[in-house]
Amino acid sequence: MTNIGLLGAGMIANVHAEAIAATNGELVAVFDPCKHRRDAFAQKWDCDSCDKIEEILSRPDIEAVVIATPNDQHAELSIAAMRAGKDVLLEKPMAMSLAQCDDIINVQKETAQLLQLGFVCRFSPAAMKVKQMIDEGKLGTIRHARATLLRQRGIPGLGSWFTTKERSGGGCLIDIGVHLIDLLSHLTSATTPERVLGMCSQTFSMESYGYDEMWSMPKPDGTFDVEDGVVAITTFANGITNQIDVSWATHLPESFIRDGITIEGDKGAVWFDLWGDSVAFGSSVDGRSNESTVEVNVNEAWGDAFQLEHKAFAEGIVNRVVSSTAGTSDDGRKVQTIVEAIYKSDNEKVEIQINRP
Ligand SMILES: NC(=O)c1ccc[n+]([C@@H]2O[C@H](COP(=O)([O-])OP(=O)(O)OC[C@H]3O[C@@H](n4cnc5c(N)ncnc54)[C@H](O)[C@@H]3O)[C@@H](O)[C@H]2O)c1
């Protein structure tokens, strides 16, 4: 059993606490600069509430920390935790810039601590089934993949750190687009990104966004200086192309909205809803189209995925290597490379050749 400390007591920290409890980990302490939040969290999850981060980092009984803070804290906290001898499960995005990713990777190498990235979509039951089908050769050679994630009212905390570029590093791209960039790359075994074309948009404003039902409470005097939509296509060195289409918010009817992923190979293709319980599989048999539905064993897909992520983290701590399903720091850096290229492409209105001036 691993003794874990949590840095951050916000929305996703509660999901981690639940997953830790379900996978036989021991959540022993939490730190959050907001006293009211950390105390309520500690009471709910029966752990110690710490006044200072050092109280967690200096405790010898704590082997690992989960970092579930705003993005601008990711680099500083993961570096501090690894220097204090803790293994780290770091929420996505890895950091806010490639330079910060490199700082984290340097300290990871120096300290030899385990660093797993919070790319939880890799553990979606449907995505894991598709990975298995790909590994079994059912899709043949993969050429192209695309992911669509359109929310109806999904801007997290409009006006909060999420929508303030200085604190988040960007909008829906760095918030949810990173999950899809990583997942497509993982499923298709895409290698080094070579060319990126991206376009960002901001459809809503503090005034025009409807509040009747939304992700979290708006901060009316806050900032909203990031994109709420992005489309992008990345070409990798092994010829694979991956495409994303993401919106935090649209006026589309809720019943129409699905998190759809398509993977196309020369022998077969799949479509699946990330949080669904089946995969649509098409192939060709004796020259004729063949269609089938592959059932996926799912309890509650999002919760299942976080539990599998924590199970992998616990195994990684024992084996001293990040599980093959989970995201590594190299995966986090690769995603950040693509994110930066998408923003650059949008700014300069050209396709970006990565690693070329
Ligand atoms: N994997 C996923 O699907 C997923 C989902 C949501 C959020 N996230 C990521 O998790 C992180 C947190 O998101 P959230 O939705 O929980 O945000 P949140 O705003 O609900 O919570 C963040 C918490 O961190 C605290 N905090 C700020 N600075 C801190 C510090 N230095 N040390 C400790 N705590 C600090 C804040 O007071 C707040 O309570 C973000 O990086 C986000 O991208 C991941």
Side-chain angles (χ1 to χ4, degrees):
M1 184 184 285
T2 311
N3 284 344
I4 297 179
L6 247 164
L7 306 183
M11 192 281 284
I12 208 66
N14 282 280
V15 180
H16 283 289
E18 201 172 339
I20 292 166
T23 51
N24 287 330
E26 183 74 21
L27 175 58
V28 291
V30 64
F31 167 73
D32 191 299
C34 174
K35 179 170 167 41
H36 153 75
R37 214 171 294 157
R38 71 170 179 261
D39 286 350
F41 185 94
Q43 193 175 23
K44 180 174 175 190
W45 296 105
D46 191 23
C47 66
D48 297 339
S49 172
C50 300
D51 289 348
K52 293 195 182 76
I53 193 164
E54 291 73 25
E55 279 179 41
I56 289 193
L57 298 189
S58 64
R59 268 176 73 158
D61 63 321
I62 295 181
E63 299 157 81
V65 295
V66 175
I67 299 178
T69 65
N71 303 346
D72 63 346
Q73 305 290 306
H74 287 194
E76 188 182 327
L77 295 184
S78 55
I79 286 172
M82 288 188 290
R83 288 227 159 101
K86 310 298 179 201
D87 293 325
V88 174
L89 173 53
L90 173 60
E91 259 306 346
K92 59 79 207 165
M94 182 168 174
M96 298 208 306
S97 68
L98 265 182
Q100 286 184 347
C101 292
D102 288 339
D103 290 345
I104 294 172
I105 289 171
N106 287 338
V107 174
Q108 186 198 359
K109 285 185 181 149
E110 200 181 295
T111 60
Q113 294 303 139
L114 189 88
L115 177 61
Q116 180 176 317
L117 266 287
F119 289 129
V120 72
C121 295
R122 289 171 173 234
F123 295 97
S124 116
M128 290 181 77
K129 171 57 78 179
V130 166
K131 183 69 176 158
Q132 184 194 334
M133 291 169 73
I134 291 169
D135 291 346
E136 288 167 357
K138 294 204 161 90
L139 276 69
T141 304
I142 291 167
R143 296 285 178 220
H144 184 62
R146 75 191 87 203
T148 308
L149 200 174
L150 309 178
R151 286 179 176 165
Q152 191 187 49
R153 284 289 175 275
I155 302 181
L158 182 66
S160 73
W161 70 265
F162 270 107
T163 59
T164 306
K165 193 170 178 72
E166 203 184 3
R167 298 214 57 205
S168 59
C172 66
L173 170 59
I174 205 159
D175 180 37
I176 48 180
V178 292
H179 274 309
L180 302 180
I181 292 171
D182 174 69
L183 182 64
L184 293 187
S185 173
H186 170 64
L187 291 177
T188 62
S189 300
T191 53
T192 313
E194 280 193 337
R195 290 184 286 133
V196 175
L197 180 65
M199 276 146 276
C200 300
S201 52
Q202 190 176 354
T203 301
F204 292 91
S205 66
M206 293 296 289
E207 292 73 35
S208 71
Y209 189 64
Y211 298 139
D212 51 336
E213 205 181 312
M214 64 180 287
W215 192 257
S216 71
M217 289 310 288
K219 202 168 159 245
D221 57 346
T223 304
F224 181 19
D225 63 355
V226 293
E227 78 285 351
D228 55 29
V230 61
V231 289
I233 184 153
T234 303
T235 306
F236 295 84
N238 54 352
I240 287 169
T241 48
N242 286 347
Q243 178 184 335
I244 59 162
D245 182 355
V246 177
S247 285
W248 258 345
T250 69
H251 285 300
L252 280 167
E254 183 85 63
S255 56
F256 176 78
I257 295 179
R258 285 166 154 196
D259 300 350
I261 314 265
T262 312
I263 314 271
E264 296 167 31
D266 62 357
K267 285 195 184 147
V270 290
W271 180 92
F272 64 100
D273 179 330
L274 199 46
W275 306 114
D277 57 6
S278 65
V279 173
F281 175 52
S283 61
S284 170
V285 177
D286 298 332
R288 301 185 125 190
S289 292
N290 188 54
E291 297 176 16
S292 60
T293 301
V294 180
E295 302 299 329
V296 180
N297 188 12
V298 176
N299 180 23
E300 192 280 300
W302 210 54
D304 288 1
F306 274 91
Q307 287 184 24
L308 290 167
E309 177 179 74
H310 273 276
K311 211 164 157 257
F313 185 47
E315 283 164 10
I317 289 171
V318 172
N319 300 333
R320 304 312 304 156
V321 62
V322 174
S323 125
S324 58
T325 304
T328 64
S329 52
D330 285 343
D331 295 319
R333 189 188 190 282
K334 180 173 169 182
V335 171
Q336 186 61 32
T337 303
I338 296 169
V339 164
E340 286 195 5
I342 292 172
Y343 285 135
K344 193 169 180 211
S345 172
D346 178 58
N347 256 332
E348 299 179 5
K349 299 186 174 30
V350 291
E351 186 178 61
I352 301 301
Q353 312 277 327
I354 293 178
N355 293 332
R356 281 195 216 159

